[in-house]
């Protein structure tokens, strides 16, 4: 059950990977990642207290104890992997543990997947990250404060606070829009990300290595010592990986070009869009902001689609008792057919004499459910 739910967050949608509209600048970025045997040895030395076991069955402390013996062989294996542009398949496995976030514990949507990767995989990623990080940090937009050395939520909020206070000193208004991308790291489209990496300046064989690193990753859910069937992640950057944050930052690095009419600040996928308002002319109509490019590249559903999904989830939870509200449940009108018919709807919609009543929340949600032919599948 958890495996089916966690698998459902990944996207299989084929999107247009043409990123020319985002006007991504090209830089002199690495074609390969370089490190020494000593770097591998020092990375193995950090596993001295790591007693947890990865999906490959190897505890970190075991690798630490053998560091003098395996450092050079691992260096050769890692070197060959990078030079051939192929990430080892054996390192693509991860074990997922469900951790309760909040809400009803019987609702699987209230659980967060915690991914456990092998120590060797994370060690390899850290070596590649340390090699490319200096070059990548230099090309990230100034507005990005997430996962960057010397930056944090504190620096992000201070920059915004200073802007607000400076505007207030001028007796100006500041309008702000806060955004948070749902399942942002899990829904990154691989082909779009690789196209962005290529356009940004990464070359071969490192570009092929990134492609191999991202695709055909396999997972299973482990709970109470029981493993689920293996499933693949068809999108996203690997959770818990060292390279995942920097790959995501590169994925959204061109957002500045897509939103030229306002200022923005980012902490990874959390973004603030804001403007100083001095007159009615500064209040830019919503249509002036063209979010089409961002939505297409990030594979984001529209607000209407997200609202529809959440509405259907709410009424399904209300009916199945995952949402405890007898008062609201009493207002749900089920339609009991008086004769056999091919036409079937779940709810009886009360007549509305005015537009105000027609948009009453529960009435609107029941109407949406009636329009969805799959709504009552396995509902009762």
């Amino acid at each position: 059950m958890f495996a089916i739910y966690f698998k459902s967050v990944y996207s299989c949608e084929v999107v247009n990977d043409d990123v020319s509209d985002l006007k991504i600048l090209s830089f002199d970025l690495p074609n390969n990642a370089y490190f020494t045997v000593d770097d591998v040895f020092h990375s193995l030395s950090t596993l001295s207290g790591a007693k947890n076991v990865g999906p490959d069955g190897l505890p970190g402390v075991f690798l630490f104890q053998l560091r003098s013996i395996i450092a050079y062989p691992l260096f050769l294996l890692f070197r060959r992997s990078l030079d051939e542009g192929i990430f080892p398949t054996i390192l693509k496995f991860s074990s997922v543990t469900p951790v309760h976030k909040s809400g009803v514990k019987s609702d699987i949507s209230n659980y967060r997947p915690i991914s456990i990767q092998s120590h060797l995989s994370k060690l390899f990623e850290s070596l590649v990250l340390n090699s490319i990080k200096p070059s990548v940090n230099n090309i990230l937009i100034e507005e990005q404060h997430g996962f960057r050395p010397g930056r944090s939520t504190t620096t992000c909020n201070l920059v915004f606070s200073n802007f607000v206070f400076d505007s207030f000193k001028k007796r100006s208004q500041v309008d702000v829009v806060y955004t948070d991308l749902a399942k942002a790291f899990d829904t990154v489209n691989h082909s779009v990300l690789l196209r962005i990496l290529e356009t940004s300046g990464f070359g071969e064989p490192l570009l092929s290595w990134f492609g191999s690193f991202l695709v055909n990753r396999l997972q299973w859910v482990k709970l109470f010592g029981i493993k689920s069937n293996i499933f693949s992640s068809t999108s996203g950057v690997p959770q818990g990986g060292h390279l995942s944050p920097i790959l995501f930052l590169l994925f959204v690095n061109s957002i500045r070009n897509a939103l030229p009419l306002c200022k923005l600040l980012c902490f990874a996928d959390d973004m603030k869009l804001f403007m100083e308002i001095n007159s009615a002319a500064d209040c830019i109509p919503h249509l002036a902001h063209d979010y089409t490019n961002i939505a297409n590249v990030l594979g984001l559903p529209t607000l209407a689609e997200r609202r529809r999904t959440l509405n259907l989830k709410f009424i399904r939870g209300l009916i199945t008792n995952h949402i405890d509200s007898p008062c609201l449940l009493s207002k749900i009108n089920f339609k009991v057919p008086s004769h056999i018919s091919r036409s079937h709807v779940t709810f009886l919609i009360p007549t509305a004499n005015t537009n105000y009543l027609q948009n009453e929340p529960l009435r609107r949600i029941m109407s949406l459910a009636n329009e969805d032919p799959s709504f009552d599948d396995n509902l009762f």
Side-chain angles (χ1 to χ4, degrees):
M1 188 166 60
F2 278 109
I4 294 173
Y5 173 68
F6 291 150
K7 181 181 179 180
S8 69
V9 304
Y10 297 113
S11 173
C12 299
E13 183 180 359
V14 178
V15 299
N16 182 9
D17 63 359
D18 181 8
V19 296
S20 57
D21 289 342
L22 296 180
K23 302 175 183 177
I24 300 172
L25 297 178
S26 182
F27 299 90
D28 184 18
L29 294 177
N31 296 328
N32 209 325
Y34 297 99
F35 43 84
T36 65
V37 179
D38 287 339
D39 293 328
V40 178
F41 179 84
H42 291 312
S43 295
L44 288 168
S45 299
T46 64
L47 300 176
S48 59
K51 296 182 180 180
N52 56 312
V53 178
D56 55 4
L58 298 177
V61 68
F62 174 76
L63 299 173
F64 167 77
Q65 292 170 347
L66 295 177
R67 64 192 185 282
S68 299
I69 301 173
I70 64 175
Y72 186 65
L74 284 178
F75 169 78
L76 295 178
L77 290 172
F78 292 164
R79 189 70 267 150
R80 181 174 180 180
S81 169
L82 285 163
D83 292 340
E84 294 183 356
I86 300 173
F87 187 78
T89 302
I90 194 66
L91 299 183
K92 294 184 181 182
F93 287 88
S94 59
S95 175
V96 178
T97 301
V99 175
H100 183 248
K101 297 183 294 185
S102 61
V104 182
K105 288 190 175 182
S106 59
D107 186 350
I108 59 175
S109 64
N110 291 328
Y111 286 78
R112 176 187 293 108
I114 301 299
S115 182
I116 301 172
Q117 299 186 28
S118 71
H119 292 288
L120 288 177
S121 175
K122 296 175 73 173
L123 186 146
F124 192 6
E125 286 186 55
S126 68
L127 291 167
V128 174
L129 175 64
N130 290 336
S131 175
I132 69 171
K133 187 162 57 175
S135 300
V136 173
N137 276 332
N138 289 331
I139 72 166
L140 294 177
I141 56 174
E142 179 65 24
E143 294 86 352
Q144 181 61 259
H145 289 254
F147 305 111
R148 300 183 66 181
R151 299 194 178 196
S152 63
T153 54
T154 301
T155 59
C156 182
N157 289 331
L158 282 175
V159 171
F160 177 67
S161 297
N162 287 334
F163 179 87
V164 172
F165 280 111
D166 289 342
S167 299
F168 285 178
K169 288 177 183 177
K170 294 184 288 185
R171 298 183 178 277
S172 300
Q173 170 184 318
V174 177
D175 286 1
V176 192
V177 175
Y178 290 84
T179 68
D180 183 14
L181 306 180
K183 308 291 183 184
F185 280 65
D186 293 329
T187 54
V188 171
N189 183 278
H190 293 156
S191 63
V192 174
L193 173 57
L194 291 173
R195 184 59 63 88
I196 289 175
L197 295 178
E198 180 184 16
T199 307
S200 297
F202 284 102
E204 297 293 351
L206 186 57
L207 194 62
S208 292
W209 187 89
F210 280 136
S212 177
F213 168 77
L214 290 168
V215 301
N216 300 323
R217 301 192 72 94
L218 301 176
Q219 305 177 69
W220 62 75
V221 175
K222 186 175 181 180
L223 189 62
F224 303 124
I226 306 298
K227 293 181 181 179
S228 72
N229 292 331
I230 293 176
F231 61 94
S232 62
S233 52
T234 54
S235 64
V237 289
Q239 188 195 86
H242 290 293
L243 284 170
S244 299
I246 205 164
L247 289 175
F248 183 82
L249 296 188
L250 288 166
F251 185 64
V252 299
N253 199 47
S254 58
I255 192 169
R256 169 75 277 172
N257 301 331
L259 294 170
L261 301 178
C262 66
K263 295 183 178 295
L264 73 117
L265 285 169
C266 311
F267 191 87
D269 60 315
D270 295 329
M271 301 180 190
K272 298 185 195 66
L273 312 177
F274 56 98
M275 287 187 64
E276 183 180 284
I277 307 298
N278 294 302
S279 67
D282 293 331
C283 299
I284 301 174
H286 180 71
L287 293 178
H289 292 279
D290 185 4
Y291 303 106
T292 305
N293 293 337
I294 296 178
N296 290 340
V297 171
L298 299 184
L300 298 177
T302 64
L303 180 60
E305 290 170 344
R306 295 201 302 274
R307 184 186 294 118
R308 178 180 174 278
T309 301
L310 290 174
N311 283 339
L312 294 178
K313 179 182 177 182
F314 176 85
I315 194 169
R316 194 185 300 271
L318 191 62
I319 295 170
T320 57
N321 204 34
H322 287 110
I323 296 176
D324 184 14
S325 181
C327 177
L328 291 177
L329 184 60
S330 67
K331 298 181 182 297
I332 301 297
N333 305 314
F334 291 98
K335 183 174 182 179
V336 180
S338 57
H339 59 278
I340 298 177
S341 171
R342 293 183 180 180
S343 176
H344 172 68
V345 292
T346 307
F347 303 106
L348 177 65
I349 309 299
T351 303
N353 298 323
T354 64
N355 289 335
Y356 177 79
L357 292 176
Q358 192 171 1
N359 287 291
E360 190 271 328
L362 283 180
R363 186 187 189 283
R364 187 185 68 249
I365 294 174
M366 287 189 289
S367 297
L368 286 173
N370 281 347
E371 295 168 4
D372 187 343
S374 64
F375 174 77
D376 58 354
D377 290 350
N378 303 317
L379 184 60
F380 303 106

